[in-house]
Amino acid sequence: MSTVVGVDAAVGGAIHQATVTQATRASGVIIRLGESEFLAVVQRAEAPMVVTATTGMFSKKHQYLTSYKGLAFYTKADTPLPLPPTCELVQAKGIWVPD
């Protein structure tokens, strides 16, 4: 019986990995940065668009996504980031990035 459980777990793990791989291909390259590095990228852009979302019920997390020179940059913060006034903000219900 334990062999069946082990096989099921292995198949489940393989399915999960295939799903993550497919999601990564569909979404393209997403670069995760720390908060200060993300702000540095945003400040390099002339008129950046930043997508924001808030997740969590009890402990809120603020998510940010922007594009610069064809790459997508993402960060998550415990408190709202001090974005420059030149940012065009888009409020999203959520941002999902593959693990």
Side-chain angles (χ1 to χ4, degrees):
M1 187 86 158
S2 63
T3 305
V4 173
V5 172
V7 169
D8 288 345
V11 169
I15 291 171
H16 172 74
Q17 184 58 42
T19 303
V20 169
T21 300
Q22 185 60 31
T24 302
R25 286 182 188 149
S27 62
V29 174
I30 299 172
I31 301 162
R32 292 176 194 246
L33 298 174
E35 298 168 28
S36 59
E37 291 86 5
F38 182 86
L39 287 171
V41 168
V42 169
Q43 290 170 351
R44 286 185 195 135
E46 212 171 290
M49 176 185 289
V50 177
V51 179
T52 67
T54 305
T55 63
M57 283 190 177
F58 303 109
S59 129
K60 299 264 188 225
K61 293 285 186 186
H62 303 272
Q63 297 176 295
Y64 298 90
L65 181 69
T66 195
S67 176
Y68 182 71
K69 294 193 176 189
L71 296 171
F73 295 90
Y74 169 82
T75 195
K76 194 184 319 184
D78 293 332
T79 59
L81 294 181
L83 296 170
T86 57
C87 283
E88 179 180 346
L89 295 178
V90 176
Q91 184 65 45
K93 287 185 179 180
I95 298 172
W96 181 86
V97 294
D99 289 331

